[in-house]
Amino acid sequence: MEYNLSLRHTRYVALLNSLSIKNYALIDRLEVSFSKGFTVITGETGAGKSILLGGLSLVLGKRADLSSLRNKSLKCVVEAQFGVGAYGLQSFFAENDLDYEEMTIVRREISPSGKSRAFINDSPVTLNVLAQLGNRLIDVHSQHQTLQLTETDFQLKVIDALAGNGDLLSSYRSQLLTYQKITKELEEMRRLRQHALKEHDYNSFLLKELEAAPLQLGIQEELEAQYEQLSNVETILEQLSTAHQLLNDEQQGVLNLLSQVKQYAAKLSSFGNQFMDLNNRIQSVFIETDDIASELWALHEQMEANPVLLDEVNAKLQLLYDLQKKHGALGIPELIDIRENLAQKVGIADNIDTDILKKEEELQTAEKVLQQTAGDLGRRRNKVVPQLQAQLEESLISLGIPNASFSIELETASSFKHNGKDELSFLFSANKGSAYGELKKVASGGELSRIMLTIKSVLAKYEHLPTLMFDEIDTGVSGEISNRMGDIMNEMSQSMQIFSITHIPQVASKGDYHFKVYKEDKDGATHTLMKKLSSEERVVELAEMLGGKTLSDSAMAHARELLN
């Protein structure tokens, strides 16, 4: 059965607009739309209210169970639409590379093979991302889910909401990140200093050794060529002398023969251009050969055995070879890089104390700023503690805990925390003369639920909360107290969307909208269905909740009275 109820508002903080469930547990197909305000959901025990919550939990990021598929051959699909326009989630969508839509659609699919897929605005996402978004959209609360109430972070969040500490907390967390960054940098510098000092002497020795070596690009090739000349000087002189003699021999020398050729060519040059060109070429060859002969002689005269220079060149080369072997370098360029790296290490060791001193001063400044902000947070928190105590105690009187008393104290911690520098003591006593104790130790489940409801109602006055869904938190309380609980939920719904799954007619009568979950046998199978009740159907439902299936005139009258 399908219902598409018109929405009264299109922009609302984390508003659950619609929910569609297909092939889940006892649900074949369910499509329902919701509005802002206070929605109550009722139904007999076992009708399937938990199934509805289970389906919703899938789009909030909870893990899937293959056994939840009604028809094992078809996939299960749960889809919900949320109005998130006023909730400031643009950064979340940007960080996760998602398309931001004020009407955001979240979908979960479970295939018959057990494979689960999640989507936000049709973009595939991990279950972790889905859960992060789900936590910001709906807060499902039951008597069995009160652990959050006993956590210090949540308790401080309540105090900060009353104190209006949002901007101050943002500043503190930004300053804390700076402080932690500087602290980490200082620790790294100290570690580096310790390591650098250990190796400083050895690195200095290696650096001096490299700085003393002739490390210039191309020097090795130059020295190797010089070494080759000096170590083969006799052979070179002999070759130069022989070559010079072949060119300058008076009888058969190349220059003498070329001189004769030149004379013949000169005589031919007057017989045409072709002979003139030939003469010019022979003239050029003669000049070039004569120049070569002169250079051969000049080189011969310059060359001489120089064992002292040979030893010097050999020593430089050997030094370069030894350094390359020592440092595992393939050539001079790598040795130059090693030298520069060593110079940097030695320089760091020489200057590290000055750098550490500067960083310590930077940390002291950051700590002073952080200390000031943490102090401001603490003072503002302490200022609203009496107000919170009074509000909680006053509200709990009307919820059947007349002697409720809180002892809330803040003390300065020794270290900075993610939300300030305060140690919180949040103690409770439900009876006169009873000692104060931690909530989780001294408060019953019913008391914790009422305390949580009271705290959520306080929070709703000071900050945007996600849609709240209360799952039978009114179980076991009297009609008068449940009536007050319903009033509180109704008051909260003036600024946010509230759901209450309830067995209590007094609570159900407070809703702006009333849905009933029920079972129906059809075609040999049981189905869970859900429908929105009309005004007259609400009267009947409340009367049955009051007096059972047999409707009496008094139950009907009582139901009408509750609704009015």
Side-chain angles (χ1 to χ4, degrees):
M1 189 174 294
E2 298 182 14
Y3 296 92
N4 290 296
L5 311 179
S6 61
L7 299 179
R8 296 188 300 182
H9 295 266
T10 57
R11 278 179 65 87
Y12 195 73
V13 175
L15 174 69
L16 174 59
N17 290 326
S18 64
L19 178 65
S20 169
I21 301 176
K22 299 175 185 177
N23 194 38
Y24 178 77
L26 296 180
I27 298 175
D28 280 327
R29 181 184 180 93
L30 178 68
E31 292 188 10
V32 60
S33 296
F34 302 106
S35 298
K36 69 163 290 185
F38 184 20
T39 298
V40 295
I41 300 172
T42 61
E44 295 180 2
T45 300
K49 298 185 296 298
S50 61
I51 295 174
L52 181 68
L53 275 179
L56 180 62
S57 71
L58 291 178
V59 292
L60 299 179
K62 300 297 187 293
R63 298 216 166 266
D65 185 353
L66 186 59
S67 64
S68 61
L69 270 66
R70 179 177 178 86
N71 186 331
K72 305 300 182 183
S73 65
L74 301 175
K75 70 179 177 181
C76 166
V77 180
V78 182
E79 184 173 286
Q81 184 190 67
F82 295 91
V84 299
Y87 208 52
L89 291 174
Q90 290 90 336
S91 60
F92 175 85
F93 280 76
E95 289 167 7
N96 291 283
D97 196 24
L98 297 170
D99 293 330
Y100 175 78
E101 300 287 347
E102 290 195 358
M103 288 299 174
T104 284
I105 296 176
V106 181
R107 187 171 78 256
R108 188 80 178 276
E109 299 178 356
I110 302 140
S111 68
S113 65
K115 183 179 180 181
S116 170
R117 297 196 301 167
F119 302 86
I120 297 176
N121 291 331
D122 286 328
S123 294
V125 295
T126 64
L127 204 58
N128 181 52
V129 171
L130 187 66
Q132 289 179 44
L133 180 61
N135 288 335
R136 302 189 187 196
L137 298 179
I138 294 188
D139 180 3
V140 179
H141 178 68
S142 70
Q143 276 203 358
H144 307 292
Q145 294 169 314
T146 52
L147 287 178
Q148 185 187 34
L149 180 59
T150 65
E151 296 171 354
T152 300
D153 281 356
F154 177 75
Q155 295 164 357
L156 275 175
K157 179 182 177 182
V158 178
I159 295 173
D160 284 328
L162 267 68
N165 282 342
D167 291 341
L168 194 59
L169 263 174
S170 295
S171 296
Y172 172 83
R173 284 169 179 154
S174 176
Q175 293 163 7
L176 180 62
L177 286 174
T178 300
Y179 174 79
Q180 291 171 335
K181 178 176 177 288
I182 296 172
T183 300
K184 187 175 180 180
E185 289 171 349
L186 181 58
E187 289 173 353
E188 177 62 20
M189 289 174 71
R190 286 172 174 163
R191 186 197 64 77
L192 185 61
R193 176 183 182 274
Q194 186 177 10
H195 181 72
L197 289 178
K198 285 182 180 179
E199 298 186 348
H200 182 260
D201 291 342
Y202 181 60
N203 286 338
S204 296
F205 168 76
L206 293 177
L207 178 61
K208 290 177 181 177
E209 193 175 49
L210 288 170
E211 287 178 338
L215 299 184
Q216 296 93 33
L217 293 176
I219 187 66
Q220 183 170 324
E221 292 78 5
E222 184 181 328
L223 288 171
E224 286 173 344
Q226 191 175 6
Y227 177 81
E228 284 298 313
Q229 289 185 15
L230 290 170
S231 59
N232 294 283
V233 65
E234 297 297 333
T235 300
I236 293 171
L237 285 171
E238 182 181 348
Q239 302 301 323
L240 287 172
S241 177
T242 301
H244 184 266
Q245 185 177 354
L246 287 172
L247 290 175
N248 282 282
D249 185 76
E250 291 183 2
Q251 298 299 322
Q252 296 296 322
V254 173
L255 280 173
N256 184 44
L257 295 174
L258 274 175
S259 179
Q260 295 177 39
V261 172
K262 187 177 67 167
Q263 291 174 13
Y264 293 126
K267 292 177 181 179
L268 290 170
S269 63
S270 61
F271 294 113
N273 291 334
Q274 61 200 38
F275 296 108
M276 176 66 73
D277 291 341
L278 184 61
N279 176 59
N280 291 338
R281 289 169 62 190
I282 293 173
Q283 292 290 339
S284 297
V285 171
F286 180 81
I287 293 171
E288 179 66 18
T289 305
D290 186 54
D291 186 59
I292 290 172
S294 299
E295 188 168 347
L296 285 170
W297 185 250
L299 287 172
H300 183 275
E301 291 298 304
Q302 292 171 12
M303 292 294 296
E304 62 177 348
N306 192 339
V308 174
L309 181 58
L310 176 61
D311 289 343
E312 290 177 2
V313 171
N314 184 53
K316 289 179 181 180
L317 275 175
Q318 204 58 49
L319 174 61
L320 294 179
Y321 294 151
D322 291 344
L323 287 174
Q324 289 174 52
K325 183 177 180 180
K326 183 174 186 177
H327 292 280
L330 296 177
I332 299 300
E334 285 193 26
L335 281 180
I336 292 174
D337 289 341
I338 293 169
R339 182 186 66 189
E340 298 305 318
N341 188 39
L342 285 170
Q344 186 179 15
K345 289 182 179 180
V346 171
I348 289 173
D350 290 339
N351 300 308
I352 193 74
D353 288 333
T354 301
D355 293 338
I356 287 176
L357 183 60
K358 290 180 180 178
K359 188 61 68 175
E360 286 173 342
E361 292 172 352
E362 188 180 347
L363 183 63
Q364 288 174 2
T365 301
E367 184 176 4
K368 185 177 180 180
V369 172
L370 190 60
Q371 188 74 44
Q372 177 65 43
T373 307
D376 291 342
L377 278 171
R379 284 185 287 274
R380 290 169 67 98
R381 287 167 174 168
N382 272 302
K383 191 174 180 179
V384 300
V385 163
Q387 176 188 345
L388 176 60
Q389 288 184 188
Q391 286 189 33
L392 293 178
E393 290 168 1
E394 182 181 353
S395 295
L396 289 173
I397 290 173
S398 65
L399 290 178
I401 315 178
N403 297 314
S405 178
F406 289 88
S407 173
I408 304 173
E409 295 181 359
L410 291 165
E411 293 183 0
T412 302
S414 59
S415 60
F416 295 110
K417 302 181 178 182
H418 71 95
N419 54 5
K421 204 178 180 183
D422 294 316
E423 294 279 7
L424 177 65
S425 174
F426 200 105
L427 305 179
F428 173 71
S429 173
N431 305 295
K432 285 185 177 180
S434 297
Y436 287 104
E438 295 180 28
L439 279 170
K440 60 185 176 183
K441 293 182 179 179
V442 300
S444 67
E447 287 169 341
L448 281 173
S449 290
R450 281 173 274 177
I451 293 170
M452 177 62 95
L453 176 60
T454 301
I455 286 179
K456 295 278 184 171
S457 69
V458 171
L459 270 176
K461 298 174 184 177
Y462 297 95
E463 65 172 26
H464 285 314
L465 294 179
T467 290
L468 284 178
M469 184 168 288
F470 294 104
D471 181 19
E472 299 185 1
I473 68 164
D474 44 26
T475 300
V477 299
S478 68
E480 181 181 351
I481 294 172
S482 63
N483 192 60
R484 177 55 188 152
M485 293 178 78
D487 284 336
I488 291 175
M489 294 181 202
N490 189 276
E491 290 167 10
M492 293 173 68
S493 72
Q494 303 308 308
S495 60
M496 61 187 299
Q497 188 181 36
I498 300 289
F499 289 85
S500 178
I501 298 174
T502 181
H503 285 290
I504 309 297
Q506 286 82 357
V507 173
S509 68
K510 305 293 183 179
D512 297 315
Y513 311 96
H514 191 155
F515 287 83
K516 180 177 181 177
V517 178
Y518 62 99
K519 285 182 179 178
E520 182 178 273
D521 292 332
K522 185 178 179 181
D523 299 328
T526 301
H527 305 264
T528 288
L529 303 169
M530 181 177 181
K531 68 176 181 177
K532 184 191 178 189
L533 301 181
S534 65
S535 297
E536 192 57 35
E537 286 173 330
R538 287 191 75 178
V539 174
V540 174
E541 176 70 5
L542 290 178
E544 289 183 351
M545 293 173 73
L546 287 164
K549 289 291 184 180
T550 304
L551 297 177
S552 63
D553 291 341
S554 61
M556 292 290 286
H558 191 183
R560 295 185 195 280
E561 183 181 348
L562 285 176
L563 286 172
N564 291 329

